[in-house]
Amino acid sequence: MDTLASRYDIAIVGGGHNGLVAACYLAKAGLSVLVLERNPELGGATRSAKAFEGVEAKLSVYSYLISLFPQKIIDDLGLNLELLFRRTASYTPAFENGNFQELLLRNDASDGNRDAFISLTGSDSDYRGYLELIAMQEKVASSVWPSLTEPLLSRKEMRGRLDDDGKKAWQSLVEEPLGVVIEKLISNNLARGLVFTDAKIGVSTHPHDPSLLQNRCFLYHVIGRGKGEWRVPLGGMGALVDELIRVALSTGKVTFATRVKVTSVGSNLKNASLAFEVDGQNLEVDARFVLCNASALELGRLTGKSMEPEIIDEGAGFKVNMLLERLPRLLSKKYSSEEAFAGTFHINEGYEEMEVSHRSSVAREMPASPPGEIYCHTLTDDSILSAELNAKGFHTLTLFGLDMPYRLFEEDNGKARDEALQRYLAGINRFLEEPIEDCLAKDANGKYCIEAMSPVDLEKKIHLPKGNIFHGDLTWPFAEDEEEVGQWGVETEHPNIFLCGSSAKRGGAVSGIPGHNAAKKVLQEIMDGKQ
């Protein structure tokens, strides 16, 4: 750890990607920045690591794709970050009435996608409905996406930026339960499920949820870059972290300290202070501003006043990382494993099946056939493997499971995790000619290269409250009351303490947006002479 000064312009609690984005912006503006990280490494949920002992494979441990990270941030900070295009958008297999069905969609292949829909459904009606829904998403994104790095607009003003068709899309995607428009435009169970999965990532919800949580989750997953396309970071998610650290250090204005446990944050009108433990010492520094990349719940604990309701929105995601000696063979006679796994491979994600799964999970029962999504990073970017592993044909697989709420793992996390993993592997194997277990590589100790993480594990390892990847309830991407209009969505009750992580409004997913917005808030405060 570098020698610490007694005072900084900005102290940031948490060295995840949002905290690093904020640090870069503020350091480039000439301000001194201290970043305090509890874990041994920077990066939080976006770091890469050699997950399996003695194996030269650097996996994106927690998150794996990028959609919401704006090009504006990449350009502003001068990040050497390359985001790669995926040939396959998605592959969705299923058994309907005992018959094997499948739908493979490619990026930028409209004719082929139309044929795939016709092969599945017997007509192009659902394909036309699918295209109509995508057009609606892009209409709403045209208003929402550019606003995410600006002060908050009111609901009325954001909607007012749209033309008549855009306002109709707004009604379907923002004002009414998402299930209404999906069921209106698409009739096939498999195709409906393919669309609705974007509304369930990491949260517990259903198509007609009156809270509209499904709509909020859906919006964040389909508006990225105005098109909703998810891309692969060359070198893995850690490449983003490495670039942010490089830029921060190049300014000469950023100090990093890891293995630090912040114990309290204090604030008055002109100053803030942080107390923390590091290397067995109790230290304290002062700062003009404190930014919290940890959760709002954690900030409430540090300041001595809870900032969230007593009921914490629990996470519902389950993560599995695998290293394979080879890709498994598919049941499909039409598509290769390389085609199917290059995109998002959906298992047990039919529309009706996900309804059943959701009902089980909220009843505190583990779904018998839990839905999940699989993706092979190495089919798009093999740089995360050594030359030797690439030559042997090794590949990584990441699975993100749905409908696995924290409550299922509270009593006996180890037992429940193992059971959930077996159910996901069984779900994959339904669509393979060989068990995926037969394809797993082994580490230096002869153990299979597979690791699973429940919401309880995510809470323990990267301090996500109840394993919630969004830190809590997802917000709408606009002001929800008059007081918020014109704010940055990072403000707290303290005049010089701001959120800069997923707890901020517009904070979910790998976006860098709350880090950007917190930095803009600080610079605005300084410009206005308030600090």
Side-chain angles (χ1 to χ4, degrees), residues 361-376:
S361 69
V362 297
R364 291 184 173 270
E365 298 175 0
M366 186 176 292
S369 299
E373 304 179 354
I374 312 165
Y375 158 68
C376 177

Side-chain angles (χ1 to χ4, degrees), residues 151-152 484 486-491 499 503-506 517:
L152 285 161
E484 290 180 341
Q487 295 186 350
W488 285 95
V490 302
E491 292 80 0
L499 297 165
S503 289
K505 288 187 73 73
R506 308 175 291 186
N517 291 347

Side-chain angles (χ1 to χ4, degrees), residues 37-59:
E37 169 56 42
R38 188 171 182 172
N39 287 329
E41 307 90 8
L42 297 166
T46 50
R47 72 181 184 87
S48 291
K50 293 178 182 177
F52 306 114
E53 188 171 345
V55 182
E56 291 298 313
K58 203 167 185 181
L59 282 71

Side-chain angles (χ1 to χ4, degrees), residues 5 48 51 87 91 205 270 273 288 333 346 360 384 435 465 519 530:
S48 291
R87 302 186 309 276
Y91 175 69
T205 188
K270 290 294 182 181
S273 61
R288 295 168 70 184
K333 305 304 179 185
H346 300 274
S360 294
I384 65 172
K530 295 179 181 179

Side-chain angles (χ1 to χ4, degrees), residues 1 36 107 243 322 356 394:
M1 182 183 72
L36 301 174
N107 287 309
E243 271 300 288
M322 292 174 267
V356 173
F394 279 45

Side-chain angles (χ1 to χ4, degrees), residues 493-507:
E493 62 184 281
H494 307 282
N496 49 8
I497 300 178
F498 306 121
L499 297 165
C500 72
S502 291
S503 289
K505 288 187 73 73
R506 308 175 291 186

Side-chain angles (χ1 to χ4, degrees), residues 229-245:
E229 181 190 351
W230 290 77
R231 293 197 174 189
V232 180
L234 178 65
M237 199 61 74
L240 169 61
V241 174
D242 292 344
E243 271 300 288
L244 289 168
I245 293 172

